[in-house]
Amino acid sequence: MLLEMFSYSFITRAVVVGSLVSLCASLLGVSLVLKRYSMIGDGLSHVSFGAMSVAAALNVAPLALSVPVVLAAAFLLLRLSESSRIRGDAAIAVISSSALAVGVIVTSLTTGLNTDVCNFMFGSVLAMTDSDVALSVVLSVIVIVVFALFYNKIFAVTFDESFSRATGVRAGLYNTVIALLTAVTIVLGMRIMGALLISSLVIFPALSAMRVCRRFKSVALCAAGLSLCCFLFGMVASYAFETPVGASVVVVDLAVFGLFCFLGRRR
Amino acid sequence: MNLIEIRDLTIGYDGKPVVSGLNFDISEGDYLCILGENGSGKSSLVKAILGLKSAYSGHIHFAQGFSRREIGYMPQKTEVQRDFPAGVFEVVLSGCQGAMGLKPFYGRAEKRRAASAMERLGITEIKNECYRNLSGGQQQRVLLARALCSADRMILLDEPTTALDPPSTAEFYRIIESLNSDDGVTVVMVSHDTAGALENSNRVLHLGGMESMFFGETADYVKTKLGKKFLGGDE
Ligand SMILES: Nc1ncnc2c1ncn2[C@@H]1O[C@H](COP(=O)(O)OP(=O)(O)OP(=O)(O)O)[C@@H](O)[C@H]1O
Ligand SMILES: [Mg+2]
């Protein structure tokens, strides 16, 4: 069955992009979850949905419009949550629901809720092109290199941001880098996973890994491994049972989370 | 020598001043205690000194040959740390980050520095423990070691003993006292434990509105009405 599955080139592309995106999302997720920014993934995916709907209505390439828009949104969210006036979670909720509303209105006025829009919502394996594959390879190399090189700094900033700032670490810079990488990861991943489900790739692996691992490093490695396995497993399951990819991956992630909760309790 | 001179400092939030017209100095070798009620602006003052918060008006002047980077900071406990997966050594090492610039990995010098800070605070045995499983007192020592890693000319502690029981508090004060008198570290400590904090400090800054501001020697402070009230309230 596996051979048969990989004989479809669109599935191979989806597997490559999906695996790389899962890897990136889980690494970034470790920092985001620990900083209580879990919902940033959700917010950005809704913004991305809005941007893609507008792109579809205007007939421009979806990535060309959504990448810059989502980058801008990530930057804005970060600024908003740093200023004390609006709390981070409220800022995310405001931006994500507004973007979703814009997307829905634009589509209903133009193309209507066709399959394209449905795919933005729930994901599809058909969407990946060769340029997406290239982009995701480049992106994942960047994320992994940045994460490895800045590992100690990301640890310091995540563990205690005000201390890091006080000692002269450029915390704002590292926050921005993480937010921007998250934005690109989300935009790439949501084509497969769907806007409603992509944030699970960011959150679940980190949460599961934190149940059993006690070190930042082992949490990061464990999350990356889990994320990859869950994605592949979910992908195969979705092929076997003909279920949507995004939802299948989330269900696998949830099952693993349950298992790790249990294991963590036992220890 | 005055390491830091603060003149007419006003700080606040959203246009409303919290502390205004503040004047005081921190000299080399001082053990300065910052007292005041909840919300009187102690943590805000600490953040202003560290440059985490900008002042509305006034000056914070650093002596020549002394800079912000030479202040080791121990923050009031934050939420995030409670379930954070981190090893003790990792946490202490992260104190070295500030001095490292863009250098990605810790070298031998940083590791030696962290090890000696841990040695000084007697936490070498728990080096490989997980931070979140430590007791409150051990956690505070780890954070102090991290502060020492970042700088050892001056340390700025924001309510370090709030979560500690009396024996751990006494032990913690003993460590601070020895850092101050044996190693010549300038200590600035925010505290609610008036009696305990005054035992070792040589100077006091009391925040709390115009009428109840005090800066001066500890010996003088305990004689003022304000000092008597704060000490009396604790006993
Ligand atoms: N981020 C903030 N935004 C707005 N106001 C703030 C902020 N942080 C503190 N304040 C206000 O500033 C005042 C001083 O706060 P600060 O934390 O400096 O007090 P504190 O003396 O350290 O109190 P505590 O003893 O409880 O630690 C308080 O009235 C508080 O409401
Ligand atoms: Mg405070």
Side-chain angles (χ1 to χ4, degrees), chain B residues 209-224:
Chain B
M210 271 303 159
E211 65 290 349
S212 53
M213 193 97 92
F214 177 91
F215 173 66
E217 303 295 315
T218 306
D220 297 333
Y221 176 73
V222 295
K223 285 183 215 140
T224 61

Side-chain angles (χ1 to χ4, degrees), chain B residues 3-226:
Chain B
L3 290 181
I4 301 180
E5 294 176 359
I6 289 178
R7 293 289 169 264
D8 293 323
L9 185 74
T10 299
I11 43 180
Y13 295 92
D14 306 321
K16 282 195 226 86
V18 173
V19 176
S20 55
L22 188 65
N23 286 292
F24 72 99
D25 306 319
I26 303 173
S27 317
E28 182 119 56
D30 258 1
Y31 189 136
L32 172 72
C33 210
I34 302 182
L35 301 172
E37 286 164 32
N38 291 124
S40 54
K42 303 180 297 295
S43 299
S44 312
L45 173 62
V46 164
K47 288 189 183 133
I49 295 176
L50 289 165
L52 296 175
K53 187 171 166 24
S54 53
Y56 284 171
S57 64
H59 296 284
I60 302 179
H61 180 75
F62 290 86
Q64 221 157 38
F66 181 72
S67 84
R68 255 184 197 135
R69 296 291 138 73
E70 290 175 84
I71 308 178
Y73 172 45
M74 187 168 154
Q76 209 169 347
K77 216 172 181 182
T78 56
E79 269 295 295
V80 178
Q81 293 162 7
R82 205 175 301 146
D83 58 350
F84 202 101
V88 167
F89 193 53
E90 247 180 326
V91 173
V92 176
L93 263 176
S94 73
C96 300
Q97 273 304 335
M100 285 171 55
L102 283 176
K103 200 174 112 187
F105 303 109
Y106 297 114
R108 201 167 291 160
E110 282 90 16
K111 288 193 177 137
R112 208 174 313 126
R113 201 176 159 85
S116 86
M118 294 191 5
E119 188 70 36
R120 216 146 139 193
L121 299 185
I123 49 171
T124 310
E125 308 86 72
I126 56 167
K127 184 178 164 178
N128 294 317
E129 297 285 310
C130 181
Y131 176 81
R132 66 178 166 193
N133 297 340
L134 300 179
S135 73
Q138 288 171 322
Q139 288 187 348
Q140 294 301 79
R141 285 200 218 181
V142 172
L143 294 187
L144 181 58
R146 181 184 65 166
L148 286 176
C149 243
S150 69
D152 50 12
R153 199 153 163 207
M154 177 186 288
I155 47 176
L156 225 168
L157 316 165
D158 196 348
E159 296 188 23
T161 59
T162 309
L164 305 186
D165 59 9
S168 321
T169 305
E171 171 67 10
F172 196 82
Y173 283 143
R174 203 190 52 68
I175 294 172
I176 304 285
E177 157 63 14
S178 116
L179 284 173
N180 179 245
S181 52
D182 303 341
D183 301 301
V185 180
T186 306
V187 175
V188 179
M189 178 162 78
V190 175
S191 181
H192 276 301
D193 172 19
T194 316
L198 292 184
E199 219 157 275
N200 299 317
S201 67
N202 68 330
R203 282 180 164 183
V204 175
L205 172 69
H206 188 118
L207 296 179
M210 271 303 159
E211 65 290 349
S212 53
M213 193 97 92
F214 177 91
F215 173 66
E217 303 295 315
T218 306
D220 297 333
Y221 176 73
V222 295
K223 285 183 215 140
T224 61
K225 230 189 224 161
L226 192 64

Side-chain angles (χ1 to χ4, degrees), chain A residues 34 149 151 153 160 215-216, chain B residues 85 90 97 101 104 128 146:
Chain A
L34 285 168
L149 277 184
Y151 166 79
K153 303 199 190 305
D160 193 339
R215 293 293 137 75
F216 194 68
Chain B
E90 247 180 326
Q97 273 304 335
N128 294 317
R146 181 184 65 166

Side-chain angles (χ1 to χ4, degrees), chain A residues 80-143:
Chain A
L80 275 180
S81 56
E82 272 171 9
S83 79
S84 54
R85 230 166 265 260
I86 308 180
R87 288 289 309 275
D89 56 346
I92 291 175
V94 166
I95 291 187
S96 78
S97 49
S98 320
L100 200 57
V102 169
V104 170
I105 286 179
V106 167
T107 45
S108 67
L109 288 181
T110 54
T111 50
L113 287 174
N114 58 15
T115 45
D116 266 358
V117 178
C118 250
N119 287 345
F120 294 156
M121 286 276 205
F122 300 109
S124 149
V125 278
L126 300 170
M128 293 295 115
T129 62
D130 281 334
S131 67
D132 291 336
V133 177
L135 191 58
S136 63
V137 170
V138 171
L139 168 79
S140 54
V141 169
I142 293 177
V143 170

